[in-house]
Amino acid sequence: MGLETASSVNPASPKVRAFSVQALDRCTIFALANQCGGDLAITVYGGSSHHIGAVALAQPEDDPVRQATVSVLAAFGHRDDEVARRMAKQLAGFLHCTVSASVGIHIDDASSDEIAIIVGACDQLADAIADAYRTN
């Protein structure tokens, strides 16, 4: 799994960064992270059919165990809610800001092992996003 990042920083606009990871031979996952003042909006998509399957909004908490409160909306028939929840919660906890995560990843006939690999790749993307915004 190779992780790539790109940055487009314009002083007149927010810091937007692009990330990608090759999760499977047939699935690259992309993430765009947009700094919105002190908050962060991320869009995660990949596979054979990019879409919006779920959106999560996380707000950090002072409780180190709970880290963040998360609300999730999922489109009917989509199962992107777990990745959206995980990424928003992780980033809100790490960065101590409100985070929205919109996720839409699809591969046909994914096995449970492939789904686990994709979830792990999304965790890797969240770590990279946290590192990129934590340092700036």
Side-chain angles (χ1 to χ4, degrees), residues 9-116:
V9 180
N10 176 340
S13 67
K15 291 183 181 180
V16 177
R17 292 187 170 101
F19 304 82
S20 67
V21 63
Q22 187 72 39
L24 304 165
D25 287 341
R26 62 186 181 135
C27 183
T28 302
I29 301 172
F30 303 93
L32 296 174
N34 184 2
Q35 191 171 1
C36 301
D39 298 327
L40 189 65
I42 62 169
T43 303
V44 180
Y45 54 97
S48 60
S49 178
H50 305 173
H51 61 281
I52 298 172
V55 179
L57 181 68
Q59 291 186 291
E61 291 192 8
D62 291 332
D63 182 351
V65 174
R66 190 172 169 136
Q67 292 183 334
T69 298
V70 186
S71 297
V72 181
L73 292 171
F76 181 75
H78 293 271
R79 297 185 353 188
D80 301 288
D81 54 312
E82 189 54 37
V83 169
R85 177 183 288 106
R86 286 169 67 110
M87 291 188 82
K89 182 175 183 174
Q90 181 179 351
L91 288 166
F94 285 162
L95 299 174
H96 307 290
C97 67
T98 299
V99 175
S100 68
S102 173
V103 178
I105 301 166
H106 177 82
I107 58 172
D108 292 328
D109 303 316
S111 69
S112 57
D113 288 342
E114 289 176 319
I115 292 169

